[in-house]
């Protein structure tokens, strides 16, 4: 078996370099070689990346590239690349551009014909998906849900009939509100996995119907701390055949009542499952 060779660094190349999401041992040998050899490292937070480089004894020039300055600074970095310099792009953790800065720089490089080389590596979304126990052959990455309640509910409503597994990032101070809105919009039974502090000492992966997950999170403040990923079961069409009488009742009650209440009353009248009625109505609303 041949021994691996050091990464060959070309000229005038932008390298997309993933960094660990928690465990520093997860950085790849190729990533280390690239970071050692490039002329410049564009970092989301130079102080944070400086600690990573210090840990691996890498001396490199750092350049701040973050959400607030990327569109202005991308042209400067592009000019350096066109002069023959090599640049590595890193974020604070994980793969750059995945809910992190870098899109504008990569877009300009591609338009200008500058070589862009992506390295494989850590990504919290994919790491969580692999351990969630939900279908992974088809999935949809949605990033962070909107911060405002109405925007969040509108986004969840738009995704109500999405059959692919859904991936969200979430912040600790909005976790409870997001889970509650999922219960309100999707019903209590949609299965959700909360993956927290992946690769770190306090890693936790817990899945349950979303109403139960919300209750579980509320029981312990520690369960809503740290970096979080939510993996959500895709929409499943009801297998139960709903009686035409129940559907007529549901349609009539929806004209006067909120959907959740209309589904509950219809279920009680016709002895059918409330969640099946609720999901049916959501599907109708979304065409």
């Amino acid at each position: 078996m041949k021994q691996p060779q050091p990464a060959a660094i070309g000229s005038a190349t932008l390298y997309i370099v993933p960094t660990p999401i928690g465990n520093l041992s997860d950085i790849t040998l190729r990533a280390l070689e690239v970071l050692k050899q490039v002329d410049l490292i564009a970092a989301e937070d130079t102080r944070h990346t400086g600690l990573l480089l210090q840990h691996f004894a890498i001396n490199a020039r750092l350049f701040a590239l973050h959400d607030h300055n990327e569109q202005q600074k991308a042209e400067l970095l592009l000019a350096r690349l066109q002069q023959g310099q090599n640049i590595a792009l890193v974020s604070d953790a994980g793969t750059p551009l995945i809910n992190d800065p870098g899109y504008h720089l990569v877009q300009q490089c591609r338009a200008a014909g500058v070589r862009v080389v992506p390295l494989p590596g850590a990504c919290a979304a994919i790491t969580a998906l692999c351990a969630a126990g939900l279908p992974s052959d088809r999935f949809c990455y949605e990033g962070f849900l909107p911060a405002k309640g109405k925007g969040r509910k509108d986004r969840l409503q738009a995704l109500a009939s999405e059959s692919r597994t859904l991936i969200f990032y979430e912040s600790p101070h909005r976790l409870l509100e997001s889970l509650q809105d999922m219960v309100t919009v999707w019903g209590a039974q949609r299965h959700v996995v909360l993956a927290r502090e992946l690769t770190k000492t306090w890693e936790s992966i817990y899945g349950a119907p979303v109403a139960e997950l919300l209750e579980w999170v509320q029981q312990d403040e520690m369960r809503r701390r740290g970096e979080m990923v939510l993996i959500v079961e895709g929409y499943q069409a009801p297998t139960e055949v709903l009686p035409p009488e129940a559907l007529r009742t549901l349609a009539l009650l929806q004209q006067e009542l909120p959907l959740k209440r209309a589904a509950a009353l219809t279920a009680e009248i016709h002895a059918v499952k409330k969640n099946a009625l609720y999901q049916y109505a959501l599907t109708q609303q979304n065409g």
Side-chain angles (χ1 to χ4, degrees):
M1 182 176 179
K2 293 183 178 180
Q3 293 295 319
Q5 299 298 314
I9 301 296
S11 60
T13 301
L14 175 67
Y15 292 90
I16 312 299
V17 183
T19 55
I21 59 176
N23 190 323
L24 292 179
S25 298
D26 290 335
I27 198 164
T28 68
L29 295 175
R30 186 181 177 200
L32 291 174
E33 289 294 333
V34 169
L35 293 176
K36 289 176 183 176
Q37 297 182 50
V38 292
D39 300 299
L40 186 69
I41 298 175
E44 184 179 7
D45 185 329
T46 56
R47 294 167 298 179
H48 185 95
T49 299
L51 295 175
L52 175 72
L53 298 179
Q54 182 180 358
H55 178 82
F56 290 106
I58 297 174
N59 294 315
R61 294 177 59 197
L62 290 169
F63 183 98
L65 186 77
H66 45 74
D67 285 330
H68 302 294
N69 74 354
E70 183 185 354
Q71 294 193 50
Q72 295 76 30
K73 298 298 184 180
E75 292 184 8
L76 177 59
L77 292 175
L78 177 60
R80 295 192 178 198
L81 287 161
Q82 291 173 324
Q83 293 166 9
Q85 292 189 23
N86 297 313
I87 297 176
L89 173 66
V90 302
S91 60
D92 287 350
T95 301
L97 281 81
I98 308 302
N99 235 93
D100 281 325
Y103 162 72
H104 296 287
L105 175 59
V106 171
Q107 182 186 49
Q108 290 191 30
C109 287
R110 298 289 297 175
V114 170
R115 186 179 180 217
V116 178
V117 175
L119 275 63
C123 176
I126 301 303
T127 303
L129 177 65
C130 292
L134 290 173
S136 57
D137 55 336
R138 296 176 67 245
F139 58 90
C140 179
Y141 172 71
E142 287 290 323
F144 283 93
L145 285 165
K148 299 287 182 66
K150 184 182 184 306
R152 187 165 54 242
K153 288 178 181 176
D154 288 346
R155 177 75 62 80
L156 292 173
Q157 184 70 53
L159 294 168
S161 300
E162 174 57 66
S163 61
R164 294 173 292 180
T165 299
L166 295 162
I167 304 175
F168 299 96
Y169 287 165
E170 194 48 274
S171 60
H173 66 278
R174 286 203 301 265
L175 177 64
L176 293 179
E177 289 82 356
S178 290
L179 292 176
Q180 182 59 66
D181 286 344
M182 288 180 184
V183 173
T184 301
V185 176
W186 292 341
Q189 297 305 310
R190 186 73 73 94
H191 195 86
V192 178
V193 176
L194 171 61
R196 189 178 64 82
E197 293 291 85
L198 290 169
T199 79
K200 301 175 186 176
T201 302
W202 304 110
E203 177 180 278
S204 170
I205 303 173
Y206 183 85
V210 63
E212 294 180 22
L213 178 63
L214 174 59
E215 183 178 353
W216 181 80
V217 170
Q218 289 172 324
Q219 290 171 357
D220 187 346
E221 186 179 347
M222 292 298 295
R223 293 172 182 170
R224 51 184 185 271
R225 290 186 178 180
E227 302 289 333
M228 300 180 182
V229 185
L230 294 171
I231 310 294
V232 181
E233 175 187 28
Y235 170 71
Q236 306 275 330
T239 55
E240 180 181 354
V241 178
L242 297 171
E245 296 82 4
L247 298 182
R248 282 195 292 271
T249 301
L250 178 64
L252 289 170
L253 290 176
Q254 277 186 265
Q255 296 176 19
E256 303 294 335
L257 298 171
L259 173 55
K260 190 174 182 180
R261 181 61 178 156
L265 287 175
T266 303
E268 185 175 346
I269 294 169
H270 294 280
V272 296
K273 292 183 179 179
K274 178 180 68 175
N275 194 55
L277 289 164
Y278 186 84
Q279 294 297 338
Y280 169 84
L282 285 180
T283 302
Q284 295 302 304
Q285 289 179 2
N286 286 280

